[in-house]
Amino acid sequence: MKKHYDLIVIGSGPAGRSGALQAAKLKKSVLVVERGRQLGGVSVHTGTIPSKTLRETVMNLSGWRERSFYGRSYRVKEEIKAEDLKSRLLKTLDHEVDVLEHQFTRNRVEILMGEAKFVGTKGIEVTGNDGERSSFTADKFLITTGTRPFRPDYIPFNDVNVLDSDEIIELPRVPRSLVVIGAGVIGVEYATIMQALDVHVTLIEPRDSFLDFIDKTMIQEFTHEMREHGIDLRLGSSVSDVECKDDMVHVSLENGRQVSAEMLLFAAGRMGATDNLGLDACRLETDHRGRIKVDSKTYQSAVPHIYAAGDVIGFPSLASTSLQQGRVAACHALDEPTLKQSPWFPYGIYSVPEMSTCGMSEEEVQERKIPYEVGVARFRETSRGHIMGLENGMLKMLVSLKTRRLLGVQIMGEGATELIHIAQAVLNLKGTVDYFIENTFNYPTLAEAYKIAGMNAWNKMPKPDLSE
Ligand SMILES: Cc1cc2nc3c(=O)[nH]c(=O)nc-3n(C[C@H](O)[C@H](O)[C@H](O)COP(=O)(O)OP(=O)(O)OC[C@H]3O[C@@H](n4cnc5c(N)ncnc54)[C@H](O)[C@@H]3O)c2cc1C
C-alpha cells in the first residue's frame, strides 16, 4: 500500500464510489477509506437499497398489486415474518457489495477499511477496523462521509422497539402497530410500506403539511390514499414525550393526545457524518447539522484541494445525485473537463403508492408568474391500468402558455419512478407539449398517460401555427 495518492476518498457510498472510479479511469492513484464493515455506505446497507428491497418484498409477499382483483384480504403469504423480509434483503446486499468490490478491484482502486481523520491539510490518519493506525497523504481529497440519523435526547432509542431510520431495516419482528415520527421522504416510505404489511401505522408530523416540494394536488391525492388504506396521519402534531412501558411505546403530543404502538420509528432528519473527521486540522467548518459547504458546480470546499459530495453537503441528499456529484468533483479535482449538469433531476419517493416528480410544481409555476396550462391523466383511463387492475395513479403535466414548453410533471402510482424519466428528457431537451401529441407511444402502457395528459393540456391551449 502506497503512502501518497493522487486522490483519497473518505467514504464508499454512491458519491465516494463514483468519485473513486472516475479518478481511476483517469489513471490516477486512488485510495478509498471506509469505516463500515463493508463497502457501499448508507445507500447499500441501511438506506436506499435495503428500503427498496423491503418494499419489493412486501409488495410481492403481500400480494398488494393483485388486491383490486382478488379483494383486500388477498395474500401471497398468509403470515409475513421478519425473516421473510430479511432473506431477500441479505441476497440483494451481498450482490451489491460484490459488484462494488469487483468494480474497485478491476479499476485498481485501493481500499482500506477503517476510520479516516484529517491530521493536517494534506494528511489523514486511518484507524483500521483492527485498531492499527496508518498515515497517508494526497494531492486531493474527496469527503463523502454521508450522514447519520438525528437522535434527539427525548427519544428513548433502545434497539428493540424505538428505532431510527438506520435501525429499522434490522426489524426484529413485524409489529402489529407502528408510530412513525417525521413525514419526510423516509418516514412516508416506511409508513406506507409497513401499512401494506397490515401494520396499523400512525404518522406524526409537527408541521401542517408534508413533502412540500411536491405539487399540492398530488399530495392531496396521496393523503387520500394513505387514509383510505388506514394510515392515521397526524399533521400539526408536535411530540412532547415518549415513554416505553409494558412492551409498548407511548407518544404524548403537545395537543394533549396520546398514541401508543408496539414500535416507534423516528425518521425526522439526518446529520452530516463529520464529527470524527478532524476537520479542524484541515481548517474546514461545518454548519449546525454537520454539513460541509462547497461550490455548487465543482464541489470544491473552502480549502481548494479538498472536495465534498453526496449527503455530507446537504440538499438534495439522494443516492442518484450523489453519484453525479462524486464524478463531477473527481473530474474537477483532477483537472479533467466534464459536461455541464442538466438543470432538472427527478425525485423518487418509493412509498405505496410511489410518487415521482421532475421540474416545477404548480405552486412554483405560480410563484414565478408563468402563464400555464395543466394536463391530467388517470392511470385507470389507460388500458395498461385496466389490465393491471390499478385503482389509483395519476400524471399531472404543467405547460407554459407562452412557449408551449413542458414545465414539470408529477406522477403518483405504479411505475412513477420509472415513468418520470420521459418527463426528465423532455424537460432537459427543452421540449414542448407538442412532443406528446406528435409521438406514438407503445400501447398498452402506463406511459400512455403522458399522451392523455398532453392531449388534455393541448386541447385547452391556443393552437400552434401549423401552416408550414
Ligand atoms: C431509509 C433511506 C432511504 C433512502 N432512499 C433513497 C432512494 O430511494 N433514492 C435515492 O436516490 N436516495 C435514497 N436515500 C438517500 C441515499 O441513501 C443517500 O443520498 C446516499 O447514500 C448518500 O451517499 P453518500 O455517498 O453521500 O454517503 P453514504 O451512502 O451515506 O456513505 C457514506 C460512507 O462514509 C463512511 N464514513 C463516514 N465517516 C467516515 C470516516 N471518518 N472514515 C471512513 N469512512 C467514513 C460511512 O461508513 C459510509 O459508508 C435514502 C436514504 C435513507 C436513509
Side-chain angles (χ1 to χ4, degrees):
M1 189 160 251
K2 289 195 224 0
K3 281 286 162 198
H4 183 86
Y5 290 84
D6 294 321
L7 177 73
I8 290 181
V9 179
I10 307 176
S12 68
R17 168 191 196 156
S18 66
L21 289 171
Q22 177 62 72
K25 297 275 182 208
L26 296 171
K27 309 264 178 295
K28 303 291 178 183
S29 57
V30 191
L31 172 68
V32 172
V33 187
E34 170 54 60
R35 72 176 173 190
R37 272 188 296 117
Q38 286 180 302
L39 297 175
V42 165
S43 176
V44 170
H45 298 286
T46 53
T48 316
I49 306 299
S51 57
K52 267 78 262 183
T53 310
L54 176 73
R55 183 185 191 275
E56 197 59 26
T57 314
V58 169
M59 298 299 274
N60 291 334
L61 293 186
S62 69
W64 180 264
R65 293 186 176 102
E66 307 300 320
R67 287 189 192 169
S68 64
F69 285 118
Y70 305 120
R72 283 198 177 187
S73 59
Y74 175 77
R75 301 283 177 278
V76 170
K77 189 168 191 301
E78 263 322 306
E79 197 191 346
I80 303 169
K81 298 199 173 132
E83 303 84 74
D84 299 317
L85 303 175
K86 269 183 207 153
S87 60
R88 182 171 181 148
L89 186 64
L90 292 177
K91 281 192 193 137
T92 312
L93 300 194
D94 278 354
H95 191 68
E96 282 277 325
V97 173
D98 186 45
V99 168
L100 179 51
E101 279 175 353
H102 185 218
Q103 278 181 336
F104 277 174
T105 331
R106 218 173 51 215
N107 287 287
R108 311 269 189 277
V109 171
E110 291 190 37
I111 305 161
L112 182 58
M113 301 308 284
E115 185 166 58
K117 184 178 162 195
F118 280 94
V119 287
T121 56
K122 292 221 161 183
I124 57 164
E125 182 183 83
V126 179
T127 308
N129 290 354
D130 53 5
E132 202 164 303
R133 290 186 183 186
S134 38
S135 299
F136 302 91
T137 53
D139 293 338
K140 301 283 165 67
F141 290 87
L142 176 57
I143 302 174
T144 57
T145 51
T147 54
R148 58 179 168 75
F150 170 55
R151 288 170 64 110
D153 293 340
Y154 70 95
I155 303 288
F157 293 101
N158 61 12
D159 269 359
V160 181
N161 63 349
V162 180
L163 308 173
D164 68 28
S165 58
D166 277 359
E167 293 166 334
I168 185 89
I169 211 64
E170 294 285 332
L171 201 66
R173 68 199 155 81
V174 178
R176 273 190 298 185
S177 51
L178 173 76
V179 178
V180 179
I181 301 180
V185 175
I186 297 172
V188 166
E189 285 188 357
Y190 277 119
T192 56
I193 292 170
M194 296 303 276
Q195 164 269 315
L197 269 181
D198 289 328
V199 176
H200 181 263
V201 178
T202 307
L203 177 57
I204 298 174
E205 168 61 45
R207 291 173 317 121
D208 291 325
S209 59
F210 69 107
L211 301 181
D212 293 333
F213 59 95
I214 299 183
D215 209 284
K216 274 207 175 64
T217 43
M218 203 55 78
I219 289 295
Q220 276 161 6
E221 290 270 329
F222 183 71
T223 304
H224 172 78
E225 282 300 321
M226 279 204 291
R227 293 207 158 117
E228 174 73 13
H229 286 103
I231 293 187
D232 185 358
L233 176 63
R234 307 273 182 96
L235 296 178
S237 303
S238 291
V239 173
S240 58
D241 188 44
V242 178
E243 194 191 4
C244 298
K245 216 166 134 191
D246 306 328
D247 293 338
M248 292 292 280
V249 190
H250 306 280
V251 180
S252 305
L253 302 178
E254 271 170 13
N255 60 17
R257 292 185 73 181
Q258 210 184 44
V259 183
S260 298
E262 285 187 9
M263 202 174 270
L264 180 143
L265 164 64
F266 185 83
R270 297 182 66 93
M271 307 280 295
T274 46
D275 18 16
N276 297 328
L277 206 50
L279 290 181
D280 291 351
C282 61
R283 294 189 224 112
L284 265 183
E285 285 177 6
T286 63
D287 68 9
H288 67 288
R289 294 184 72 177
R291 294 172 303 205
I292 299 171
K293 195 164 182 288
V294 291
D295 177 88
S296 63
K297 291 201 171 66
T298 62
Y299 305 103
Q300 197 165 22
S301 75
V303 180
H305 66 278
I306 303 181
Y307 288 69
D311 284 13
V312 76
I313 64 167
F315 179 83
S317 294
L318 293 167
S320 54
T321 48
S322 300
L323 280 164
Q324 280 284 82
Q325 292 170 0
R327 194 185 61 75
V328 172
C331 285
H332 195 265
L334 302 168
D335 300 319
E336 177 72 13
T338 186
L339 290 171
K340 205 163 82 249
Q341 298 303 290
S342 292
W344 300 113
F345 60 86
Y347 286 93
I349 299 156
Y350 293 82
S351 43
V352 184
E354 64 189 64
M355 286 190 281
S356 199
T357 76
C358 194
M360 288 180 244
S361 66
E362 190 163 352
E363 290 73 36
E364 272 177 275
V365 172
Q366 287 169 352
E367 249 167 55
R368 295 192 195 191
K369 300 201 178 346
I370 304 171
Y372 69 101
E373 192 47 85
V374 179
V376 174
R378 303 242 163 220
F379 284 3
R380 60 168 186 264
E381 293 172 83
T382 65
S383 298
R384 171 59 68 186
H386 304 155
I387 295 167
M388 293 169 81
L390 297 184
E391 290 175 325
N392 61 41
M394 69 180 277
L395 184 151
K396 175 172 169 180
M397 178 184 287
L398 301 157
V399 179
S400 165
L401 278 175
K402 235 169 156 179
T403 61
R404 309 183 67 77
R405 271 177 55 186
L406 184 66
L407 299 171
V409 170
Q410 317 259 323
I411 312 176
M412 183 193 78
E414 194 64 33
T417 51
E418 296 284 352
L419 288 168
I420 200 68
H421 296 103
I422 297 177
Q424 184 189 15
V426 176
L427 276 162
N428 283 324
L429 294 170
K430 302 184 174 40
T432 66
V433 65
D434 304 335
Y435 172 87
F436 302 105
I437 314 301
E438 289 163 358
N439 284 281
T440 302
F441 283 60
N442 264 341
Y443 175 88
T445 57
L446 292 180
E448 210 203 328
Y450 278 100
K451 184 112 191 143
I452 299 170
M455 292 296 288
N456 184 235
W458 205 81
N459 287 331
K460 293 182 268 183
M461 291 168 64
K463 296 294 161 277
D465 180 6
L466 301 174
S467 52
E468 288 195 8

